[in-house]
Amino acid sequence: MGFVLGGAFFLLMALGMPIGLAIGVAATIVLLLNGLPLQMVPQMMFTGNNSFALVAVPFFILAGDILAKGGISERIVAFAEASLGRIRGGLSIVSTVASMFIAAISGSGAATTAAVGSALLPELKEKGYDLDFSAALIAASGTIGVVIPPSVPMVLYAVIAGESVAKLFMAGFIPGALMGTGLILLALHVAKKRNYPAADPVPKEEKRRRFKDSIWGLMTPVIILGGIFSGFFTPSEAAAIAVVYSLGVAFFVYRSMDWKKFYRLVVGAGVTSSLIMFIIATSKLFGWGLAFYEVPEAVANALLGVAGGNEAMVYLMILVIVLLAGMVMETASALIILTPIFLPTVIQMGGDLIHFGVMIAVGLAIGMATPPVAIDIYVASAITGLSVEEISRPIVPMVLVLMAVLLLTTYVPWLTVFLPSLIWG
């Protein structure tokens, strides 16, 4: 019956049914074939969403939208440009550094790409940078948005795996920094090869002005992450505080927000959140079907059997599946489906679930910059007017850099477990 469950899901996906519906319908078909009561459907769906940690999801999405549309990201990018623009190819570095910083506010790859791209791409073109390379770099840097905390996918993983959101957030710092460092080194190499210019010098007075102008935005991750890691408030409370703080800055400090714009942002965040929550609800039903027919255990036994008990080989096979899933599925959907399938395998090998959570987040993040379902590339395409194909070509070496970081994250667990163990023991 496990084959019926999986076969129905993939058939419905191939027919073009939205993933949330495909998951729910496939699980319902299996229930009907086994004569189980349909009352289980709403009960399981409600149970799937009955988690306080999930409150963070809509708030982090809304905070990311306010960041991008409320004038906060532009000021952070302007300060980064004043600080780093004097280096040859400095605007490329600014693209990645700004993405890393904004990732610490938005928790979303698409929001990070939109915020940085809208602020920097016109100037990159004006300064003589190749537009396709610049768009690709910003799209690739956007993947850091779901690795450096806060991260919506990590919240979802924590709920499914029963792990600490705070520990997952802390574990994402070093891999996220490595992703950014790798992209910066690649950008510097390309800048030297193509003789990209350095930006005009910015007077000290102007640097100070930009710093003062951006300080409100720069304080956002300090408040969010500082509060979480100090134990002052939970990740869900931090998400709500992020919305209140960014709204206050946009409305009363920068005066770049009005009620009409805020209403549109709330509606947009509500639609996105409802889609994610519906997928979580139907995935609970789907996950019950998987567990009932012992599909995860069968997958674990199959992987361990093929690999001959070699843990490195098992992780490699999981990585391949995660990368392929990230290429054809939206990040949250892939994570919600794959996590319960692979968790028993990791547990059976004695793996660390925090390490595995970061590993799967990095793997699926790469999918955000890998066609055909590459949301960061589509965002960059919408900003620049370039086709997805034009951006996809120069992004290949960047994806290879990110894959190298993924391998490091997978086979050097210290990179993920060091900071959580340092703080929580």
Side-chain angles (χ1 to χ4, degrees), residues 2 4 34-35 58 62 67 88 95 110 149 156 161 187 209 227 249 252 273 333:
V4 175
N34 284 274
L62 180 56
L67 169 82
R88 178 172 293 282
S95 301
L156 300 179
R209 188 195 68 77
V249 172
F252 304 114
S273 301
S333 306

Side-chain angles (χ1 to χ4, degrees), residues 79-313:
F79 173 63
E81 182 185 347
S83 304
L84 301 169
R86 282 294 296 151
I87 305 168
R88 178 172 293 282
L91 285 181
S92 297
I93 303 174
V94 171
S95 301
T96 304
V97 171
S99 295
M100 293 170 69
F101 197 91
I102 291 171
I105 305 173
S106 70
S108 163
T112 301
T113 303
V116 177
S118 300
L120 269 182
L121 280 170
E123 185 169 357
L124 283 160
K125 183 179 180 181
E126 181 184 333
K127 297 292 185 182
Y129 288 71
D130 295 315
L131 190 58
D132 58 348
F133 170 79
S134 302
L137 179 61
I138 290 175
S141 300
T143 62
I144 305 171
V146 297
V147 179
I148 287 183
S151 164
V152 171
M154 286 187 185
V155 173
L156 300 179
Y157 174 85
V159 171
I160 297 168
E163 288 295 328
S164 163
V165 176
K167 287 183 179 179
L168 279 161
F169 280 3
M170 183 61 76
F173 270 115
I174 294 178
L178 287 174
M179 293 167 74
T181 302
L183 291 174
I184 287 172
L185 293 174
L186 176 64
L188 287 172
H189 171 72
V190 173
K192 183 177 180 181
K193 185 177 178 181
R194 300 185 183 182
N195 199 30
Y196 287 155
D200 297 328
V202 177
K204 288 184 179 180
E205 189 60 36
E206 176 63 14
K207 285 184 182 179
R208 282 195 291 269
R209 188 195 68 77
R210 292 192 188 186
F211 174 72
K212 289 178 182 178
D213 202 27
S214 65
I215 189 65
W216 293 96
L218 295 172
M219 284 299 296
T220 310
V222 176
I223 294 170
I224 296 171
L225 301 177
I228 292 173
F229 298 139
S230 66
F232 194 73
F233 39 72
T234 68
S236 298
E237 292 165 346
I241 289 168
V243 171
V244 173
Y245 178 80
S246 56
L247 262 183
V249 172
F251 263 111
F252 304 114
V253 179
Y254 297 148
R255 301 183 184 277
S256 55
M257 182 70 67
D258 55 47
W259 290 110
K260 189 174 181 180
K261 183 187 289 187
F262 176 56
Y263 172 77
R264 289 198 299 268
L265 293 180
V266 170
V267 170
V271 170
T272 303
S273 301
S274 64
L275 292 173
I276 293 174
M277 298 302 281
F278 182 72
I279 292 170
I280 294 171
T282 54
S283 293
K284 181 66 176 181
L285 187 63
F286 191 82
W288 175 88
L290 292 174
F292 186 78
Y293 295 108
E294 299 183 342
V295 173
E297 288 77 8
V299 170
N301 292 332
L303 289 175
L304 290 168
V306 171
N310 187 321
E311 291 185 14
M313 186 59 66

Side-chain angles (χ1 to χ4, degrees), residues 21-38:
L21 283 175
I23 294 169
V25 171
T28 303
I29 289 172
V30 171
L31 286 178
L32 290 171
L33 291 175
N34 284 274
L36 295 170
L38 285 178

